Amino acid sequence: MAGIEETPWLDPGQQRAWRGYRRLRLLVDTRVARDLAVDSGLSDPDYDVLSELSEASGHRRRLGELAERMLWSQSRMSHHVKRMQQRGLVRREECARDGRGAEIVLTAEGLRVIEEAAPRHVASVRRNLIDLLTPDQIALLEQIADTVVEHLEARP
Amino acid sequence: MAGIEETPWLDPGQQRAWRGYRRLRLLVDTRVARDLAVDSGLSDPDYDVLSELSEASGHRRRLGELAERMLWSQSRMSHHVKRMQQRGLVRREECARDGRGAEIVLTAEGLRVIEEAAPRHVASVRRNLIDLLTPDQIALLEQIADTVVEHLEARP
DNA sequence: ACGGAGTGGTTGATGTGTCATGTAAATCGT
DNA sequence: ACGATTTACATGACACATCAACCACTCCGT
């Protein structure tokens, strides 16, 4: 890993790309989050957890597995699941195979909530990102994201 | 604005682009934030505020102006500035022209801190995003960001 | 010039994220 | 098989963001 002595400053194009990315992120994410909250009463993390669970077999997943897939800390997941549990969106079950384990299960209410939220959320994602770009740009964005993700996930 | 009835689901490519974007954001931002905290003891918002002030004439700016440029709420800025003030990075001064106003001024310490933090931060941004992409991809990213930002900023 | 509306900023309550730590069960070494 | 370590998760304290009041000053109409 190079020391800072050898690190050149960002050139103007790189500077603009970085600032653009930051601003895109700020605008897109706050709007999508606001829409989600207004339309469905969910926060962005709420939606992600529900979505992850709804795609899991049996609508259940180990807490740690959930955290790992979503790149959250276990602690964060534990706290968040507790709150979602209090709202009736998920419940905890003991894990048969591992006495320490906790399985997080989507409740019927949780399933209902995310199924109702999903189409509105998709509409919001379209309004605030997808439909603003040409198909070419979408493909490029995917390619850029893949490149970066691949590099970063290959690192500690 | 179209109702959800008319909103088609994301096609596979759009789906991958959206998920890719989300994951890129998660990976890049957490790593850059962690580097910044470890290298310089600053949070991401800390850095942004210091950076904004260091570029302002007289190293000072009205609280509301600062908030507006950064798309923060005034409340958030007020709270955050209070904490940064307690750490000696900025100070408040009364505004001569408007008795209600507050001017936020970069302290000598604040200037020292950001000047020391900047090169490491640039290195981190390179490691975690810029240097992972080809010059073409950088240009495309900038273009995509500009497109989206332009659309979104033209809206309430 | 005075009374009310609007503006700039602060504050407190609440929900959420992070870090350090705690606890209990599983696993490993011998 | 027994103690030490590691793993899975929970918890408490704190930092931070958001929202809804709130206060003080400015601006405007009459």
Side-chain angles (χ1 to χ4, degrees):
Chain A
M1 211 63 50
I4 62 172
E5 315 80 23
E6 315 153 30
T7 305
W9 201 255
L10 298 183
D11 71 38
Q14 293 170 333
Q15 183 88 247
R16 288 194 304 273
W18 173 247
R19 297 204 173 194
Y21 161 71
R22 298 282 292 177
R23 199 145 187 97
L24 176 148
R25 153 180 162 22
L26 191 57
L27 286 164
V28 171
D29 292 1
T30 60
R31 288 177 193 233
V32 169
R34 196 181 46 70
D35 287 348
L36 194 54
V38 169
D39 293 344
S40 314
L42 295 173
S43 71
D44 223 76
D46 291 339
Y47 186 92
D48 292 342
V49 170
L50 292 179
S51 166
E52 192 69 33
L53 279 177
S54 74
E55 290 172 8
S57 72
H59 287 171
R60 72 179 53 226
R61 201 153 257 170
R62 289 287 293 270
L63 188 143
E65 191 191 345
L66 213 47
E68 192 178 10
R69 292 174 65 104
M70 298 174 61
L71 300 186
W72 287 18
S73 68
Q74 287 203 20
S75 162
R76 178 182 180 186
M77 189 58 76
S78 180
H79 280 300
H80 203 88
V81 158
K82 176 162 45 168
R83 288 173 229 131
M84 294 180 70
Q85 191 175 12
Q86 283 159 0
R87 292 193 285 152
L89 300 173
V90 302
R91 67 170 180 279
R92 276 170 215 260
E93 281 184 16
E94 299 181 357
C95 178
R97 309 207 175 276
D98 190 331
R100 301 162 297 182
E103 294 207 314
I104 314 304
V105 190
L106 196 57
T107 62
E109 169 69 3
L111 184 59
R112 194 190 64 69
V113 166
I114 192 172
E115 283 180 344
E116 196 184 313
R120 297 166 192 269
H121 180 59
V122 169
S124 172
V125 168
R126 283 193 172 280
R127 269 200 312 279
N128 294 300
L129 181 65
I130 298 295
D131 288 351
L132 307 178
L133 299 171
T134 65
D136 279 0
Q137 286 177 314
I138 302 275
L140 260 355
L141 176 59
E142 181 194 340
Q143 190 217 312
I144 289 171
D146 284 351
T147 305
V148 173
V149 169
E150 199 172 324
H151 274 99
L152 292 185
E153 287 190 335
R155 299 217 288 241
Chain B
M1 211 61 51
I4 61 172
E5 315 80 23
E6 315 152 31
T7 306
W9 201 254
L10 299 183
D11 71 36
Q14 293 170 333
Q15 183 87 247
R16 288 195 303 273
W18 172 246
R19 297 204 173 195
Y21 161 72
R22 298 282 293 177
R23 199 147 187 94
L24 177 150
R25 154 179 161 22
L26 190 57
L27 285 164
V28 171
D29 292 1
T30 61
R31 287 176 193 232
V32 169
R34 196 181 48 69
D35 287 348
L36 193 54
V38 169
D39 292 345
S40 315
L42 296 173
S43 71
D44 224 76
D46 290 339
Y47 187 91
D48 292 342
V49 170
L50 291 178
S51 167
E52 192 69 34
L53 280 177
S54 74
E55 288 172 10
S57 72
H59 288 171
R60 72 179 51 226
R61 202 153 257 170
R62 290 286 293 271
L63 188 142
E65 190 191 345
L66 213 47
E68 192 179 10
R69 292 175 65 103
M70 297 174 62
L71 300 186
W72 286 20
S73 67
Q74 289 201 22
S75 164
R76 179 183 180 186
M77 188 59 76
S78 180
H79 281 299
H80 202 90
V81 158
K82 176 160 46 165
R83 286 174 231 128
M84 293 179 70
Q85 192 176 11
Q86 284 159 359
R87 291 194 284 152
L89 299 173
V90 302
R91 67 171 180 278
R92 275 169 217 262
E93 281 184 15
E94 298 181 359
C95 179
R97 309 208 175 275
D98 189 331
R100 300 162 296 183
E103 294 207 314
I104 313 303
V105 190
L106 196 58
T107 62
E109 169 69 2
L111 184 59
R112 194 190 64 69
V113 166
I114 193 174
E115 283 180 343
E116 196 184 313
R120 296 167 192 270
H121 180 59
V122 169
S124 172
V125 168
R126 284 193 171 280
R127 269 200 311 279
N128 294 300
L129 181 66
I130 298 295
D131 288 351
L132 306 179
L133 299 172
T134 65
D136 279 1
Q137 286 176 315
I138 302 274
L140 260 355
L141 176 59
E142 182 195 340
Q143 191 217 312
I144 288 171
D146 284 351
T147 306
V148 174
V149 169
E150 200 172 322
H151 273 99
L152 292 185
E153 286 189 337
R155 300 217 287 242

